[in-house]
């Protein structure tokens, strides 16, 4: 596909019926939860977590130009959450986050012609974390929810000191994210965390996803 037509806004196409149903189900659960006597938010167990990660852009072959392969940038994620009150040892949390995913670049030179492209993205969203203690200090969790993503991309081709720029990218959409997390509880207020999460995206009908492996630290307040 020519780079000049590679990106365009496709809100109606990037939000399938499945995601709309998932959004409605999630909203219903969040509305019902505070009303149920057995499910209450425990604001005394609210927390903030800051994590840095290594991002992998998983794109199809020949995404912006033939043979492109994007490097792995470092990202920053800020997350806040709070537990639900439980009578057992399981941990269920409601979370919100903002993730500066970072810019991945791909550069290739063939026969004195240099092709370059970059993808810069971010995401914010909300979801649920289900955790189970593993001994006295570790908690293993799964995380999933909805995220709103934004992608900005640029492509160019340089030959004999002449640079031709492709169309800029400014596309966004809604997707389902998922991941796994392992936390180490230092004391009643401090913890360390590490894990991975996947942010699927749909750009110009191409399904791509971003995998983020991260390490972070958190604080209960």
């Amino acid at each position: 596909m020519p780079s000049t037509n590679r990106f365009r806004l496709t809100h109606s196409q990037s939000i399938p019926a499945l995601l709309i149903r998932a959004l409605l189900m999630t909203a219903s659960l969040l509305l019902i939860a505070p009303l149920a006597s057995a499910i209450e938010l425990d604001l005394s167990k609210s927390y903030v977590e800051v994590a840095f990660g290594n991002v992998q852009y998983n794109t199809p072959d020949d995404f912006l130009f033939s043979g492109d392969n994007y490097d792995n940038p470092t990202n920053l994620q800020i997350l806040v959450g709070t537990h639900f009150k439980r009578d057992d040892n399981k941990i269920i949390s409601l979370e919100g986050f903002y993730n500066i995913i970072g810019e991945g670049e791909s550069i290739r030179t063939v026969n004195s012609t240099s092709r370059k492209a970059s993808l810069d993205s971010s995401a914010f969203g909300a979801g649920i974390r289900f955790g189970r203690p593993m001994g006295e200090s570790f908690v293993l969790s799964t995380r999933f929810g909805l995220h709103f993503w934004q992608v900005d991309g640029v492509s160019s081709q340089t030959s004999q000191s002449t640079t031709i720029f492709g169309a800029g990218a400014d596309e966004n959409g809604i997707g389902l994210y998922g991941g796994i997390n392992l936390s180490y509880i230092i004391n009643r207020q401090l913890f360390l965390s590490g894990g991975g999460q996947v942010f699927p995206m749909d750009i110009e009908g191409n399904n791509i996803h971003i995998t983020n492996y991260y390490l972070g630290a958190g604080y209960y307040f």
Side-chain angles (χ1 to χ4, degrees):
M1 180 178 295
S3 60
T4 54
N5 297 319
R6 188 63 192 81
F7 291 95
R8 55 187 170 87
L9 288 174
T10 55
H11 293 281
S12 61
Q13 298 175 10
S14 63
I15 309 177
L18 177 62
L19 296 184
I20 295 176
R21 288 197 297 269
L23 178 60
L24 292 175
M25 290 176 61
T26 302
S28 299
L29 288 173
L30 296 180
L31 289 174
I32 293 173
L35 301 178
S37 59
I39 303 178
E40 298 180 64
L41 286 175
D42 188 355
L43 298 180
S44 67
K45 293 186 177 179
S46 300
Y47 56 92
V48 60
E49 178 183 306
V50 178
F52 292 92
N54 181 267
V55 176
Q56 295 180 358
Y57 279 92
N58 300 282
T59 60
D61 293 337
D62 306 332
F63 185 57
L64 290 183
F65 61 81
S66 178
D68 56 347
N69 184 23
Y70 297 89
D71 56 14
N72 302 332
T74 299
N75 79 313
L76 168 66
Q77 178 169 274
I78 301 173
L79 180 147
V80 294
T82 187
H83 292 337
F84 287 100
K85 292 183 179 180
R86 303 284 298 178
D87 294 329
D88 53 26
N89 67 340
K90 296 186 177 74
I91 299 172
I92 302 178
S93 303
L94 178 65
E95 299 181 327
F97 68 90
Y98 179 66
N99 195 319
I100 304 173
I101 295 174
E103 182 179 21
E105 287 188 338
S106 180
I107 301 174
R108 187 181 184 192
T109 301
V110 178
N111 296 329
S112 300
T113 298
S114 178
R115 292 182 175 181
K116 178 180 179 181
S118 65
L119 294 172
D120 190 6
S121 56
S122 62
F124 67 88
I128 300 292
R129 179 192 297 210
F130 291 98
R132 178 183 290 274
M134 307 284 290
E136 295 183 357
S137 300
F138 291 93
V139 177
L140 181 64
S141 307
T142 57
R143 307 164 74 168
F144 63 90
L146 291 172
H147 72 288
F148 178 87
W149 52 265
Q150 170 87 33
V151 173
D152 297 316
V154 176
S155 61
S156 64
Q157 178 173 307
T158 301
S159 179
Q160 297 180 353
S161 300
T162 300
T163 300
I164 301 175
F165 289 93
D170 183 10
E171 189 163 353
N172 51 52
I174 295 176
L176 294 171
Y177 74 89
I180 189 168
N181 176 269
L182 181 64
S183 298
Y184 174 71
I185 309 301
I186 299 175
N187 53 44
R188 296 183 62 179
Q189 289 186 300
L190 299 175
F191 63 91
L192 301 177
S193 66
Q197 54 195 359
V198 178
F199 298 104
M201 302 178 180
D202 182 9
I203 301 176
E204 277 288 305
N206 289 283
N207 295 319
I208 76 169
H209 63 277
I210 292 172
T211 304
N212 173 34
Y213 300 99
Y214 62 88
L215 291 172
Y219 177 81
Y220 281 97
F221 54 90

